[in-house]
Amino acid sequence: MDIKKEVAKRAEIINKAIEELLPIKEPEGLYKACRHLIKAGGKRLRPVLSLISTEVLGKDWRKILPAAIAIETIHNFTLIHDDIMDRDEMRRGVPTVHKLFGEPTAILAGDTLFAEAFKILTKCDIEAENLIRAVDMLADVCIKICEGQFLDISFEQRYFVSEEEYLDMVEKKTGVLIACSCSMPAVLFGEGEEIIDALWNFGLLSGIGFQIHDDVLDLIGGEKIGKDWGSDLVEGKKTLVIIKAMEMGVEIEIFGKGKATKEEIAEAVEKLRDCGAIDYASKMAKEFVERGKEHLKILPDSEAKDVLIAIADYLVTREY
C-alpha cells in the first residue's frame, strides 16, 4: 500500500473544504494570520484520520466533513499559541505566525481559529443529539490540550520529570486530539460506546506514539522537519529521550541554554544516540502504536481499516 498516496488523496478533499469553510475575510490582516499555517500545508493527518474512520464505519464522510475541518482548525490554533510560548521561529518551512505578524495578532489569530472550529462543527449534516455530544467531546479535548501544554511548560522549571509524567503530558497535549479525530465520526453517526471507545483508544495510543516519534525527529530530522532543528534541546523540553538520558547520567551541555550552534546540536544528538536514549524512545513509540492497533480488532476487516492501520505505522516511521 502506498500510504502517502492514500493520505494525499484524502488531504486533497480536506484542502478543498478548507478553502470553502475558512476563507480570507475582513479584517484581512487578522484572517491572513489565521490562515498562514493552514496555507503552509501540513500533513492534514487529523482530518484525514476522521475521513478514514468514517469509511471504516461504512458511512458517508460528506455528512461530517465540517467536523474534520473543525479538528484541523483546533490543531492550527494550538500550533500558533505553542509557537508563541516556545518562541519558535519556523513551522512547516515558513516563519511562525507571531514572527511574521507580531505576537498580539498571533494571539488573536489563535483565538479566532478556536471559535471558528466550533462554528464549523455545527455545519455537519447529522442529528442534533449527536452534534451536542461531538461539541462536548471537542470542548473536553481542548481543555485537556491546555492542561498538557501547561504541564509541558511547567516541566521546564523542574530538574527531574518521570517517564509517567511525560506520558501523561503527551496524552493530553497530543494524544487526545488524534483520539478525537478517529472517534468523533462514530459519535456523530450515533455508533455504540464499544465502537467509539475502540476508535478513541486506537487514536489515543497512536497519538502518544506519534508525539514520542516527533520528539525523536526534532533531534534526528535535521532541516527537513520544517521547524527549528534541536529546538526541544535548547528550550529545555523534557522529552522521553532527555528523561532517559538523565536517568543514565548523561549530560547535555546545551540543554535549556536557549541557543546553540548546529555543531553543538549535532554533538548533543550524537551523545543521545550513543547512550541509547534515542533508540529507547523510538522503540516505545512503536509499542504504543501496536497497542493502539489492537483496539481495532472489534471492527470488521475492510480496505479502509487497512489504511487506518498503515497510517498508524507511518506515524512512528516517518522521516519528517
Side-chain angles (χ1 to χ4, degrees):
M1 182 186 297
D2 187 342
I3 193 59
K4 288 186 178 180
K5 185 177 179 181
E6 292 292 334
V7 170
K9 71 180 182 183
R10 292 169 177 85
E12 188 175 344
I13 294 166
I14 297 300
N15 287 333
K16 286 179 181 177
I18 285 172
E19 290 293 325
E20 178 186 344
L21 295 170
L22 291 168
I24 298 281
K25 49 189 178 182
E26 294 295 334
E28 189 174 309
L30 172 62
Y31 285 98
K32 280 187 174 180
C34 289
R35 312 302 184 235
H36 174 63
L37 287 182
I38 295 174
K39 287 183 175 296
K43 294 176 282 292
R44 309 296 189 220
L45 166 67
R46 292 155 189 81
V48 165
L49 283 170
S50 292
L51 297 191
I52 298 170
S53 294
T54 306
E55 294 170 29
V56 170
L57 299 172
K59 305 293 186 181
D60 182 0
W61 53 258
R62 293 171 186 82
K63 291 179 177 292
I64 60 94
L65 183 56
I69 305 307
I71 288 168
E72 179 70 2
T73 304
I74 289 293
H75 175 53
N76 279 272
F77 137 69
T78 67
L79 296 182
I80 292 174
H81 283 189
D82 283 3
D83 287 339
I84 294 169
M85 287 179 262
D86 293 342
R87 303 297 176 200
D88 284 339
E89 298 187 354
M90 293 293 292
R91 169 79 68 175
R92 292 174 177 168
V94 298
T96 51
V97 176
H98 70 274
K99 180 72 175 175
L100 196 61
F101 296 92
E103 195 167 297
T105 297
I107 293 170
L108 287 172
D111 292 346
T112 303
L113 287 172
F114 178 81
E116 284 184 303
F118 287 92
K119 185 174 182 179
I120 290 168
L121 179 57
T122 65
K123 298 180 184 295
C124 289
D125 182 19
I126 43 83
E127 294 179 15
E129 180 183 351
N130 296 336
L131 180 59
I132 291 169
R133 288 190 66 193
V135 169
D136 182 69
M137 172 186 271
L138 188 58
D140 188 55
V141 162
C142 289
I143 292 168
K144 285 186 171 65
I145 290 170
C146 291
E147 291 172 355
Q149 177 66 0
F150 175 82
L151 289 173
D152 194 18
I153 293 170
S154 70
F155 289 170
E156 295 175 30
Q157 312 304 317
R158 294 167 49 189
Y159 178 76
F160 178 77
V161 173
S162 71
E163 188 173 297
E164 290 73 23
E165 288 176 309
Y166 164 83
L167 292 173
D168 177 55
M169 178 273 292
V170 166
E171 177 178 318
K172 290 175 176 175
K173 184 176 175 180
T174 303
V176 293
L177 189 57
I178 293 178
C180 181
S181 304
C182 295
S183 60
M184 186 178 282
V187 171
L188 290 167
F189 285 111
E191 297 287 340
E193 291 302 319
E194 188 179 25
I195 299 297
I196 294 170
D197 288 347
L199 287 166
W200 174 274
N201 289 325
F202 162 75
L204 187 70
L205 292 166
S206 298
I208 293 171
F210 168 81
Q211 184 59 59
I212 294 171
H213 185 64
D214 208 54
D215 292 344
V216 170
L217 286 183
D218 182 76
L219 300 171
I220 67 172
E223 294 180 358
K224 63 186 175 185
I225 61 175
K227 60 180 183 178
D228 298 333
W229 178 41
S231 60
D232 288 349
L233 280 179
V234 296
E235 289 164 12
K237 294 280 187 183
K238 301 294 195 310
T239 66
L240 185 59
V241 176
I242 286 295
I243 290 168
K244 189 63 179 175
M246 290 177 73
E247 283 179 2
M248 293 185 287
V250 176
E251 291 188 13
I252 304 298
E253 288 78 7
I254 64 169
F255 185 68
K257 296 299 183 184
K259 61 181 180 178
T261 65
K262 287 185 178 180
E263 291 74 21
E264 288 173 327
I265 292 171
E267 183 180 337
V269 170
E270 197 61 31
K271 266 191 178 183
L272 293 167
R273 197 190 297 274
D274 289 345
C275 76
I278 289 176
D279 285 344
Y280 176 82
S282 293
K283 183 176 180 231
M284 185 170 285
K286 292 180 175 68
E287 287 173 355
F288 269 100
V289 164
E290 288 303 314
R291 286 171 53 196
K293 284 153 55 176
E294 287 292 312
H295 288 277
L296 296 181
K297 286 185 175 179
I298 70 163
L299 295 165
D301 291 337
S302 66
E303 184 179 337
K305 181 178 171 182
D306 291 341
V307 174
L308 205 56
I309 290 169
I311 287 180
D313 290 331
Y314 171 72
L315 294 182
V316 290
T317 57
R318 73 193 198 282
E319 295 180 354
Y320 56 89

